């Protein structure tokens, strides 16, 4: 189901936790690795976002001494696998697109360069939350690229046809799903490989899978908030209210929405880009509404997996770290580059991580997709910027944990186990995994 503005602080990505000495290996400072030789340098850059090729082309046209060599990776999870292999082989690219939940893991593995000396003077160009997401123990390992306000997008024609209103709560969401089911329509889509739905609903409900307790990590996949989220998800699955389309067949997922077979998504601005670029039938029939709340609770939107802030990270194996940091800064602050990436037509529809990111809302949502609902959508996005979760911490084995969570999520989707069964497994697995890494843990 990836946020930041001057008014809403981004989840801190274990910045607080990693201030504790000894919890992670390989967290010390690194040499600059800067190649002092004069002349042009070529920096390999891996990313997956639409629009990056155009940004790279613009960068190369405007720089004589630094050139970017771009390689497009399939998606975020493929990036983590490819980067793992590259780091092991000693041929990691200089720059990689990533998101904040993975920073802690990569630092713990000694994969990232400390670029603080090259970028610290640019701090005020970014909103505070996004800047925090690039840090571990006060050191900076990348340059923020994006924020991601979260909301619901829904088919107005489908909802109107069956007398439904945009769901204000998760109870409303389930009730609407039951009505739509009678007409062969699903309320949402749960991909079997993507457990981020569980993460973000748990985050919204006040859960804390990772926390700091004294000089140890504390793990809790079975707290009140997580169980509240699990109950909502289980009802949707048990009542067959969800499609089960894998994003491995991205075109099929988009056709499903375009044809009206699935009526809503909980998304951010960047996910709208795929809709804009693939829809042929339903343009103008979509509208935005706030992220559903838990009954009786105030509005709160998550800042997890796909809702977490984007980053361009610099790897420790890069021989030209100063130039890499310079290139990353340019891609995040150049007006043309920012507008290219913010637009769902030319880029990925991402909200920039800049201090004035609110001003890009009009460009980050699509009038083509929303039609007459375009103007009201601006307020939905603006309001979501002020309700983001701020206290979520990404643990030191997040990448490994999420991979294990994926395996269990597939079984949940196939009704081979309950969400609570998966959570019980993840509790034991995560504690055991941290212990095996020599990390102090309670749970």
């Amino acid at each position: 189901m990836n946020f930041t503005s001057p008014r809403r602080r981004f989840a801190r990505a274990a910045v607080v936790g990693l201030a504790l000495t000894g919890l992670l290996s390989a967290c010390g400072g690194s040499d600059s690795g800067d190649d002092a030789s004069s002349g042009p340098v070529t920096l390999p850059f891996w990313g997956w976002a639409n629009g990056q090729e155009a940004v790279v082309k613009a960068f190369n046209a405007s720089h004589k001494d630094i050139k970017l060599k771009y390689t497009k990776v399939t998606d975020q999870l493929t990036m983590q696998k490819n980067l793992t292999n590259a780091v092991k082989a000693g041929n990691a690219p200089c720059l990689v697109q990533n998101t904040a939940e993975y920073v802690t893991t990569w630092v713990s593995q000694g994969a990232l360069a400390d670029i603080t000396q090259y970028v610290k003077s640019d701090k005020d160009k970014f909103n505070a939350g996004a800047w925090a997401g690039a840090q571990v123990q006060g050191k900076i390992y990348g340059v923020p690229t994006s924020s991601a306000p979260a909301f619901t997008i829904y088919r107005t024609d489908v909802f109107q046809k069956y007398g439904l209103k945009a769901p204000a709560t998760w109870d409303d969401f389930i009730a609407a799903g039951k009505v739509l089911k009678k007409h062969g329509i699903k309320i949402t889509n749960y991909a079997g490989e993507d457990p981020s739905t569980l993460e973000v609903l748990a985050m919204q409900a006040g859960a804390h899978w990772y926390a700091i307790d004294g000089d140890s990590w504390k793990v809790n996949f079975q707290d009140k908030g997580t169980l509240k989220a699990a109950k909502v998800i289980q009802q949707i699955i048990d009542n067959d209210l969800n499609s089960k389309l894998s994003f491995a067949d991205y075109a099929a997922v988009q056709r499903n929405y375009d044809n009206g077979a699935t009526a809503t998504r909980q998304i951010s601005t960047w996910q709208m880009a795929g809709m804009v670029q693939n829809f042929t039938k339903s343009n103008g029939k979509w509208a935005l509404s706030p992220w559903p709340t838990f009954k009786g609770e105030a509005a709160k939107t998550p800042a997890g997996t796909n809702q977490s802030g984007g980053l361009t990270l610099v790897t420790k194996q890069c021989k030209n770290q100063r130039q890499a940091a310079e290139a990353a800064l340019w891609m995040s602050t150049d007006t043309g580059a920012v507008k290219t990436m913010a637009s769902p037509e030319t880029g990925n529809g991402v909200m920039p991580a800049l201090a004035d990111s609110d001003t890009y809302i009009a460009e980050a949502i699509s009038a083509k997709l929303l039609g007459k609902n375009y103007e009201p959508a601006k307020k939905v996005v603006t309001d979501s910027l002020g309700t983001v979760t701020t206290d979520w911490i990404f643990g030191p084995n997040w990448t490994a944990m999420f991979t294990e969570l994926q395996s269990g999520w597939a079984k949940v989707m196939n009704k081979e186990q309950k969400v609570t069964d998966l959570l019980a497994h993840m509790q034991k697995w995560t504690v055991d995994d941290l212990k095996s890494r020599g990390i102090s843990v309670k749970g």
Side-chain angles (χ1 to χ4, degrees):
M1 284 186 34
N2 281 317
F3 291 104
T4 37
S5 87
R7 299 189 309 277
R8 79 185 156 100
R9 302 177 305 279
F10 169 70
R12 296 277 175 178
V15 172
V16 175
L18 290 179
L20 300 170
T21 304
L23 294 186
L24 294 175
S25 61
C27 275
S30 63
D31 295 333
S32 70
D34 188 24
D35 186 344
S37 63
S38 60
V41 297
T42 298
L43 307 174
F45 169 35
W46 291 2
W48 65 80
N50 292 330
Q52 285 177 332
E53 289 102 330
V55 170
V56 167
K57 184 177 180 180
F59 178 88
N60 288 339
S62 61
H63 290 75
K64 294 181 179 180
D65 296 331
I66 310 173
K67 301 296 180 182
L68 295 175
K69 182 180 180 181
Y70 183 70
T71 298
K72 189 163 187 176
V73 178
T74 306
D75 53 38
Q76 176 173 257
L77 296 178
T78 302
M79 173 67 80
Q80 314 316 318
K81 296 174 184 177
N82 290 358
L83 185 56
T84 295
N85 294 333
V87 169
K88 289 180 179 178
N91 59 1
C94 276
L95 295 162
V96 292
Q97 178 188 357
N98 230 285
T99 49
E101 69 264 29
Y102 293 105
V103 176
T104 309
T105 298
W106 289 121
V107 171
S108 73
Q109 296 178 10
L112 302 184
D114 173 7
I115 60 170
T116 307
Q117 62 180 315
Y118 307 126
V119 301
K120 61 182 179 181
S121 62
D122 294 277
K123 176 181 178 180
D124 291 343
K125 294 179 181 178
F126 300 90
N127 63 67
W131 192 254
Q135 298 180 59
V136 175
Q137 288 186 292
K139 296 182 175 68
I140 304 166
Y141 294 89
V143 176
T145 59
S146 65
S147 310
F151 41 79
T152 299
I153 189 168
Y154 68 100
R155 282 287 295 263
T156 55
D157 57 333
V158 173
F159 271 63
Q160 289 170 1
K161 182 176 182 180
Y162 300 112
L164 298 172
K165 295 182 180 179
T169 68
W170 288 113
D171 287 347
D172 296 340
F173 191 82
I174 292 168
K178 290 179 179 179
V179 172
L180 294 174
K181 178 185 175 182
K182 296 176 182 178
H183 304 282
I185 301 170
K186 303 296 186 181
I187 188 75
T188 191
N189 180 63
Y190 288 165
E193 73 278 6
D194 184 10
S196 60
T197 296
L198 176 57
E199 177 202 342
V200 294
L201 262 68
M203 183 187 300
Q204 180 192 8
H208 295 90
W209 290 356
Y210 293 89
I212 299 300
D213 186 358
D215 61 354
S216 300
W217 285 94
K218 183 178 180 180
V219 173
N220 194 346
F221 281 80
Q222 298 171 299
D223 61 6
K224 182 179 178 180
T226 304
L227 295 179
K228 186 191 299 185
K231 184 178 179 181
V232 169
I233 293 170
Q234 196 65 61
Q235 289 183 75
I236 291 171
I237 295 170
D238 288 347
N239 287 282
D240 297 314
L241 307 182
N242 60 296
S243 300
K244 301 177 183 179
L245 298 177
S246 169
F247 282 97
D249 191 347
Y250 187 72
V253 174
Q254 297 299 344
R255 283 196 302 271
N256 183 266
Y257 291 123
D258 197 21
N259 292 332
T262 301
T264 80
R265 297 180 72 184
Q266 274 74 45
I267 61 170
S268 183
T269 55
W270 68 267
Q271 289 147 313
M272 294 171 68
M275 303 171 80
V276 172
Q277 293 160 7
N278 287 277
F279 286 2
T280 60
K281 301 177 181 179
S282 62
N283 285 316
K285 298 178 181 178
W286 294 86
L288 304 188
S289 66
W291 189 279
T293 64
F294 289 96
K295 188 175 182 179
E297 297 186 8
K300 189 177 182 181
T301 48
T305 303
N306 291 337
Q307 273 66 43
S308 66
L311 300 160
T312 303
L313 301 175
V314 179
T315 68
K316 200 171 187 178
Q317 292 177 7
C318 180
K319 295 181 180 180
N320 304 100
Q321 293 172 14
R322 176 180 60 79
Q323 291 93 333
E326 179 184 329
L329 278 169
W330 187 92
M331 288 190 286
S332 288
T333 59
D334 176 79
T335 301
V338 171
K339 288 184 176 181
T340 294
M341 296 306 296
S343 168
E345 278 82 17
T346 61
N348 218 35
V350 296
M351 290 285 290
L354 299 173
D356 62 347
S357 59
D358 291 11
T359 62
Y360 289 87
I361 289 175
E363 293 168 310
I365 61 175
S366 171
K368 176 183 178 182
L369 182 67
L370 298 171
K372 66 181 181 180
N373 304 305
Y374 173 74
E375 288 299 327
K378 293 179 182 179
K379 185 177 187 305
V380 174
V381 177
T382 300
D383 289 348
S384 77
L385 297 175
T387 60
V388 67
T389 307
T390 60
D391 58 355
W392 183 262
I393 292 177
F394 297 112
N397 66 338
W398 184 269
T399 304
M401 181 283 293
F402 199 80
T403 299
E404 183 68 17
L405 187 64
Q406 282 182 288
S407 299
W409 179 255
K411 295 179 181 179
V412 170
M413 290 301 99
N414 291 328
K415 297 185 177 181
E416 296 172 15
Q417 65 175 353
K418 299 288 187 180
V419 180
T420 50
D421 297 329
L422 172 58
L423 293 170
H425 169 73
M426 291 308 304
Q427 177 67 32
K428 183 178 186 305
W429 187 93
T430 305
V431 169
D432 290 347
D433 184 68
L434 288 172
K435 287 180 178 178
S436 73
R437 297 168 187 264
I439 297 173
S440 179
V441 59
K442 299 176 182 179

